[in-house]
Amino acid sequence: MVIINPGNPCGSVYSYEHLSKIAETARKLGILVVADEVYGHVVFGSKPFVPMGVFGSTVPVFTLGSISKRWMVPGWRLGWLATSDPTGLLRKCGIADSIKNVLDPAPLSPTFIQAAVPEILQKTTEEFFSKTIDILRAASALCYDKLKEIPSITCPQKAEGSMFVLVKLNLSLLEDIEDDMEFCLKLAKEESLVLLPGVTVGLKNWLRITFAVEQSSLEDGLGRLKSFCERHEKKP
């Protein structure tokens, strides 16, 4: 079972109780859990981030992490895989060794990244993390409030983590737009604004919006989005 927490594309954060149920369900099914936590600790809502690894005694857990998100070095595709398996099941079954054998011949990251990583991990201050969270919290709130001003777009929930929010298109209020893909193509052409159509992640007629930009740019982008939707609204 694969879970993504905090979530991309919807900005969700799972509670301890929800993760506990996931672990128990996986145990009953006799399967392990792969936890994608590249946005681990990038949370700014009411729920704290809970690593799936704390449930390792219930079910074996593989955790995927990355330096690019929490430490804000996009493009540095350097990550890690950690196991939480107090009972030793993965070791007994040879799964851990099999993964290690696959990773051993994998190409290494550029040397300058390898040299920088110890400094980044050891010397990044809590002030850096708290400032980042404050910026993302304000951006998430701004995005949510501005989206409520657009009738043809519904934001079901304010993002609580990661850097994205997922919104629903109400195509019945728009004309000359068939689906989310056409919406995004016309938006890019008319407003030079790029959003991810939901169909790319299996959610037709939804949109993924990132708010990890400067506040002025975010306000400008959301203003363009509102203008585009107003221009394409069906006339009474």
Side-chain angles (χ1 to χ4, degrees):
M1 183 186 298
V2 178
I3 66 167
I4 304 173
N5 180 49
N8 172 9
C10 55
S12 59
V13 177
Y14 294 154
S15 67
Y16 181 95
E17 292 73 20
H18 184 68
L19 293 172
S20 178
K21 291 178 181 179
I22 289 176
E24 184 60 27
T25 300
R27 184 192 66 79
K28 291 178 179 178
L29 294 174
I31 58 178
L32 57 83
V33 174
V34 177
D36 180 342
E37 296 179 357
V38 298
Y39 286 100
H41 302 284
V42 184
V43 297
F44 35 82
S46 58
K47 293 191 288 291
F49 168 66
V50 179
M52 190 68 202
V54 303
F55 302 101
S57 58
T58 302
V59 63
V61 177
F62 282 112
T63 297
L64 307 178
S66 170
I67 198 172
S68 63
K69 308 305 181 185
R70 189 184 184 203
W71 286 265
M72 299 297 166
V73 279
W76 287 30
R77 296 304 183 186
L78 183 67
W80 52 84
L81 188 154
T83 62
S84 181
D85 181 33
T87 62
L89 181 62
L90 298 177
R91 189 169 57 254
K92 295 172 187 175
C93 296
I95 296 176
D97 288 335
S98 296
I99 292 176
K100 185 176 182 299
N101 291 335
V102 170
L103 294 177
D104 279 344
L108 297 174
S109 60
T111 52
F112 80 90
I113 294 180
Q114 294 183 52
V117 165
E119 293 283 310
I120 292 173
L121 294 180
Q122 294 172 13
K123 296 184 179 180
T124 303
T125 64
E126 285 301 320
E127 182 183 2
F128 171 85
F129 295 128
S130 61
K131 183 177 180 180
T132 299
I133 294 304
D134 288 343
I135 292 172
L136 289 173
R137 181 185 294 112
S140 172
L142 173 64
C143 189
Y144 183 72
D145 291 340
K146 292 294 184 181
L147 288 171
K148 288 193 294 186
E149 300 175 2
I150 307 175
S152 54
I153 292 179
T154 301
C155 184
Q157 179 178 307
K158 186 190 300 183
E160 296 187 311
S162 77
M163 305 170 184
F164 307 100
V165 66
L166 204 64
V167 300
K168 174 70 173 175
L169 270 179
N170 186 348
L171 294 174
S172 66
L173 299 179
L174 301 174
E175 58 184 7
D176 301 325
I177 295 179
E178 183 177 341
D179 54 26
D180 56 318
M181 183 63 75
E182 186 175 16
F183 181 96
C184 289
L185 289 172
K186 289 186 175 181
L187 178 65
K189 184 176 180 179
E190 296 178 23
E191 294 288 347
S192 297
L193 182 63
V194 177
L195 302 182
L196 185 75
V199 69
T200 60
V201 291
L203 292 167
K204 188 176 177 62
N205 295 332
W206 289 72
L207 305 169
R208 189 192 74 167
I209 298 174
T210 180
F211 46 81
V213 295
E214 293 286 344
Q215 181 173 329
S216 59
S217 297
L218 182 59
E219 291 178 341
D220 178 62
L222 292 169
R224 295 187 192 194
L225 178 61
K226 182 179 180 180
S227 296
F228 175 83
C229 290
E230 290 175 344
R231 192 161 58 248
H232 287 272
E233 281 182 356
K234 286 184 177 177
K235 305 302 183 289

